[in-house]
Amino acid sequence: MYNGIMISELGLIVHSVVFTMLFLGLMVAVGFGVYTSLALKNPKEKEHLRNLKEKAQSDELAKKQLEKIKRRNKRRRKREKENIITDVIIWSISACLAIAILAWGIIPGWMDYIRKDYVVYKGEITVHKQMKRSRIELEDGTIVWGRGDFDEHDTYGTVVYSRRTKQFLGGD
């Protein structure tokens, strides 16, 4: 109950949980990407290269092997330069997406739920019934997502919705 009106916070909780899971999934993917890019720099390979440099001063075979590894690394660096731009774009898009999910999905949803920051509106409404995303348009132009028990013919009613996410919570 909120101000004497029966409400259901389930829609708000589902909204917040879905965006939280989306954010966590993105962070796992980013973490995996960072791990794989860092794991390619093998410490054993670096140690082997150091040992070869020491041996190359006196051993001709070690010198040839060192030159071969240097040529291979040079080719690898050349190929990786082409991928740097792609990596920068992917990391930038991931960072922007993470910030957007936080700013428009997670923080507002949990703030509304924790603070019970709900708005009670009483007045003219317009109900738009759609397959996936029904909504109620209030007289002041605010769009509330969800419609509850209202149908398309209702023009007046009391609507309770969350302040930041505009999720329908209840009404009569």
Side-chain angles (χ1 to χ4, degrees):
M1 293 289 278
Y2 185 79
N3 286 354
I5 301 168
M6 193 66 138
I7 64 168
S8 172
E9 296 172 324
L10 184 63
L12 181 60
I13 293 171
V14 168
H15 170 86
S16 299
V17 167
V18 165
F19 276 103
T20 302
M21 297 305 273
L22 184 64
F23 179 76
L24 291 175
L26 179 63
M27 290 297 101
V28 166
V30 166
F32 181 74
V34 168
Y35 173 76
T36 55
S37 68
L38 293 178
L40 294 177
K41 297 171 176 74
N42 191 348
K44 287 184 179 180
E45 188 176 317
K46 289 179 183 178
E47 182 68 28
H48 178 65
L49 196 58
R50 257 188 254 123
N51 291 339
L52 270 178
K53 283 181 184 179
E54 290 174 9
K55 286 182 183 179
Q57 294 171 356
S58 60
D59 186 10
E60 192 63 32
L61 184 63
K63 191 174 188 176
K64 286 181 182 181
Q65 212 175 14
L66 182 64
E67 291 300 320
K68 182 179 177 183
I69 291 174
K70 284 184 178 181
R71 286 192 306 270
R72 186 183 67 206
N73 287 342
K74 189 175 180 180
R75 285 192 309 269
R76 187 182 299 157
R77 278 194 301 272
K78 197 177 225 181
R79 278 181 288 173
E80 287 176 1
K81 282 182 183 178
E82 298 167 1
N83 295 333
I84 289 175
I85 293 173
T86 307
D87 289 345
V88 168
I89 290 171
I90 289 171
W91 294 119
S92 299
I93 290 172
S94 297
C96 291
L97 185 60
I99 291 168
I101 291 171
L102 274 172
W104 286 295
I106 296 173
I107 294 172
W110 288 117
M111 291 289 287
D112 284 341
Y113 180 71
I114 290 168
R115 291 185 176 177
K116 305 294 184 212
D117 201 3
Y118 306 144
V119 176
V120 178
Y121 171 84
K122 190 171 194 166
E124 295 288 323
I125 60 172
T126 306
V127 180
H128 301 278
K129 183 179 177 184
Q130 294 176 337
M131 283 294 267
K132 289 189 175 186
R133 200 70 170 144
S134 296
R135 66 188 187 281
I136 299 173
E137 190 172 338
L138 307 180
E139 189 176 24
D140 63 358
T142 303
I143 294 176
V144 178
W145 299 102
R147 65 178 180 86
D149 293 331
F150 292 109
D151 63 16
E152 293 176 329
H153 305 294
D154 291 331
T155 58
Y156 188 85
T158 303
V159 177
V160 179
Y161 63 94
S162 58
R163 183 176 307 276
R164 292 170 192 83
T165 58
K166 309 289 191 254
Q167 293 288 319
F168 178 82
L169 300 172
D172 33 317

